[in-house]
Amino acid sequence: MKNIDKTKFNDRTNLQIIDQLKSLAYNLWWTWNPEAALIYKELSPLIWETSNHSAVAVLRRISDAELKARLGDPDFFKRVNKILDEYSEYMSCSNTWCTQNFPELINNPIAYFSAEFGLHECLPIYSGGLGVLAGDFAKSASDLGIPFYGISLYYRLGYFKQKISDDGWQFEEYPQINTDDVPIQPLIDQNGNPVQTSVTIGHSNVKLHAWKINIGRVNVILLDSNLPENELHFRELTGRVYGGDISTRIMQEIILGIGGVKILRAIGINPAIFHMNEGHSAFLTLELLREQVNKGLTLNQAEEYVKKHCIFTTHTPVEAGHDRFPKSLIELQLSNYLKELKLSVDDIMKYGRVNEQDQNELFCMTVLALKFSKVSNAVSKLHSQVSKAMWKNLYPKVSVNEVPIIHITNGVHTPGWANVKAHEFWNKRLGYDWTEKIMDKEYWEKFTNHEIASDEELWALRNILRRELIEFVRMHYLNLHLNRVSISDLDNILSPDVLTIGFARRFAVYKRAPLIFKNFEKLVELVNSKSTPIQIIFSGKAHPRDDEGKRYIQKIINYTKDPRFYGKIIFVENYDINVARYLISGSDVWLNTPRRPLEASGTSGMKIAIHGGLHLSTLDGWWVEAYNGKNGWSIGNEQSYSNEEEQDKADADSLMNILTNEVIPQFYNRDTMGIPREWIKRIRISIQSLIPEYSSHRMVSEYVKKCYKLE
Ligand SMILES: *Cc1c(COP(=O)(O)O)cnc(C)c1O
């Protein structure tokens, strides 16, 4: 990207500018280029806010006459042109990481199937880490120039909106997405007609149409069963993220896997690789088999073909987290489809069983995916050890260590996660091209010295971001308690000078949100310290059917009402990508307390480094690999426990010790200028050691090298 003054803008008429702004609104490129997002925000701050930041919603409500008039402001005109130049340069660039390193891939697209994509807050078609990872994957695939097609479902009711009752219980609302207000468009063919396909579910032929999301240079295609030709219960099938029971689940997965392959064929895409992000999409292997058998291959040959073209990523170290279906359900929903494949239900059951002869074993989507993939991987080193042990019976001929599940540790799309203020800060100090050097380790080495940014500047950034988070939380509080709050009441909600700890993620029980309350009296003391206080902000949703997770939320809500914690421990409702962005940028310390080894990787802790946040976590998932003693802190050690209570106690004690003896004293240890030098030194090491390694660019490039190699 270029400096604004040096740029010679492409000549555009006002009409062309308006057209291009509309077209850019439909490309999520603007979500990781905040100068572009700011243009839409500025056009109508109110619509921007009420649409959860949708450029499409803003432009729909601004007349061409107003747009034309607004372009009469020379400064605005200049900024819009600069962005449009950058955008067109990005879109037309023919010299990418992929063309330079893996040119043979260019005409061999990757199809990446994922039940959820977390791309932006205005598109609530994700529930948590898996979706956010898929979203970051797509953005990095675009940046690196990988020919990539994402496949998912269009959840018109999305994942739920979280509301909390007066007694602290989560309930769920499903507001319908207004398709006209979000950056998705109908998938059409060359003649402009909507593309359709269909899948066989039970005895019915379910018609599907599809939507397209542009993510820079790549697309995600969303399948949708909501067509008037379908019976009502089929129309609602793709309504909610992981909605309903296992019966809904298997039907959604038929649409994702089988429908996904069919929609790609319908638009003439012939992927070289089918990447299953988690087992939900594993039925795609059956459709690939069917295609090959129809072409005249024997079943054996067809199986070999499928194994050459599929790869699989597992994300679940918990047995219960893997989709399993009883034979009766497979029979009910798939037996008709299987006729085309000339296979019986019993034949298919073998594909989904560890022990093929065991009539009682359920059909497991993970097993299906593992059996048909040429490479399978876990998402961190520790997770690959856990996965190898979990699936060792599938590979009776090799030892546990030789079970073929490699690891590719997750990463995050840092330009997309960096707060606007952080972008401005690094643009000024590193130049606009820092976002293009994300995985260049040498580049980030320089953060250990002071040439790039002084301690004072980094400390200023921390204070800007902390204040922004606190004002966001206060605004949230104001909205919740409208009419009952005076401005001065807000002074009692958090303090911009206090060490701020963030904890936000799905409220899955193993993540142990209430762990810090285990040493209750000690926590009361820390929070209420006169000289070195701490404050904690919680946020997160429990799965609609996870009552234990909901009880954890209730527990924390009750603590926030305790006078000893009031205004100092806060719960922010309706965790989503937007809330996440405030929390990961404003928190001084990011707390993560999964019960080892149940966190496959975790990614939220990777998003904080660019903001100067520091990670405090158990040595689980990615953090065992990343922690070097100086770039954050660890809770506990690498010990394994057989007893959960014992483990929780040890970790809770360790957490308190680290907070009391290291984290808090270092934060408040200021020199005469008021700067915490040791703290900032830790920030520098965190930036330098974490940003290049835990970026999704590094992750995607590793998938290319280890999994997408062509045969
Ligand atoms: C990053 C992110 C996650 C994943 O967080 P983990 O720490 O890996 O659990 C989940 N939800 C949202 C909204 C996120 O931004």
Side-chain angles (χ1 to χ4, degrees), residues 209 223 226 422 454:
H209 66 145
L223 293 150
N226 185 14
S454 66

Side-chain angles (χ1 to χ4, degrees), residues 126 128-129 132 417 504-505 511 575-577 580 599 602-605 607:
Y126 60 94
V132 167
W417 286 107
R505 47 187 43 86
K511 292 180 183 253
Y575 184 52
D576 70 354
I577 287 176
E599 181 96 305
T603 53
S604 59
K607 302 167 189 165

Side-chain angles (χ1 to χ4, degrees), residues 274-326:
F274 292 82
H275 187 160
M276 294 170 266
N277 187 44
E278 197 51 300
H280 309 116
S281 57
F283 288 140
L284 72 84
T285 58
L286 301 184
E287 178 61 11
L288 294 179
L289 274 182
R290 192 192 62 83
E291 288 181 339
Q292 296 308 313
V293 169
N294 271 2
K295 279 184 190 161
L297 295 195
T298 65
L299 185 64
N300 262 339
Q301 290 169 328
E303 287 175 357
E304 286 312 308
Y305 175 92
V306 177
K307 278 180 214 168
K308 269 197 189 128
H309 291 86
C310 290
I311 82 144
F312 170 54
T313 303
T314 176
H315 292 262
T316 317
V318 191
E319 270 294 338
H322 297 264
D323 271 336
R324 287 186 169 85
F325 302 120

Side-chain angles (χ1 to χ4, degrees), residues 646-678:
E646 214 178 289
Q647 183 172 12
D648 292 356
K649 170 140 194 3
D651 287 344
D653 290 349
S654 168
L655 169 57
M656 272 304 158
N657 280 335
I658 301 275
L659 277 177
T660 313
N661 300 326
E662 297 193 35
V663 179
I664 297 173
Q666 276 177 34
F667 183 85
Y668 287 106
N669 179 14
R670 311 289 167 86
D671 68 1
T672 49
M673 312 285 290
I675 309 284
R677 301 281 167 193
E678 282 303 303

